[in-house]
Amino acid sequence: MEFRASHILVSDKTLAENLYERVRKGESFSSLASQYSKCPSKSKGGDLGWFKEGQMVREFENQVRRMSTGSISRPVRTQFGYHIIKKTGARG
C-alpha cells in the first residue's frame, strides 16, 4: 500500500492546535505549511509525495492509514514534533 500526504510540522503543541483550527475554518493548508512548517517539504506546501508502508515514523503512518483521502488530522506527536496531516491519496 502507498499513501500520499502533506503535513505541517511544528515543535509547539499550542501552535499545532492553532494551525489545525485555522485549516479547519478554511485557511489554505499549503499556505500555512509554507509559512509555519519546519520540514523542507514546506517549499512544496507540505507535500511529502507518495510513500510506502514503513517509510514514515510509526505514529505518522498509523494516522495516515486511518484517515480518508482529503481529510485533515488533529495534531499528531512524533519524535520530530507535531504534525497536522492532510491525506491526499492511497493506492495499491
Side-chain angles (χ1 to χ4, degrees):
M1 191 74 172
E2 287 185 305
F3 304 102
R4 186 167 189 166
S6 296
H7 75 149
I8 302 170
L9 174 62
V10 296
S11 300
D12 182 75
K13 182 179 181 181
T14 302
L15 176 59
E17 291 170 351
N18 176 268
L19 292 171
Y20 168 75
E21 288 300 324
R22 289 172 66 179
V23 168
R24 207 172 65 79
K25 291 178 180 172
E27 285 193 54
S28 165
F29 188 97
S30 62
S31 292
L32 290 173
S34 295
Q35 186 175 357
Y36 290 98
S37 186
K38 65 177 189 171
C39 179
S41 67
K42 74 184 203 171
S43 66
K44 295 178 278 178
D47 183 20
L48 296 167
W50 289 97
F51 53 91
K52 296 179 180 178
E53 293 182 16
Q55 286 187 284
M56 298 295 180
V57 293
R58 184 174 34 86
E59 302 91 342
F60 186 98
E61 185 178 307
N62 288 344
Q63 181 64 45
V64 171
R65 188 180 289 116
R66 288 191 300 265
M67 297 169 69
S68 58
T69 299
S71 64
I72 297 170
S73 74
R74 295 187 77 73
V76 175
R77 185 171 185 235
T78 72
Q79 67 201 53
F80 301 106
Y82 295 88
H83 306 258
I84 301 156
I85 306 165
K86 181 177 183 179
K87 184 174 181 177
T88 55
R91 63 186 180 196

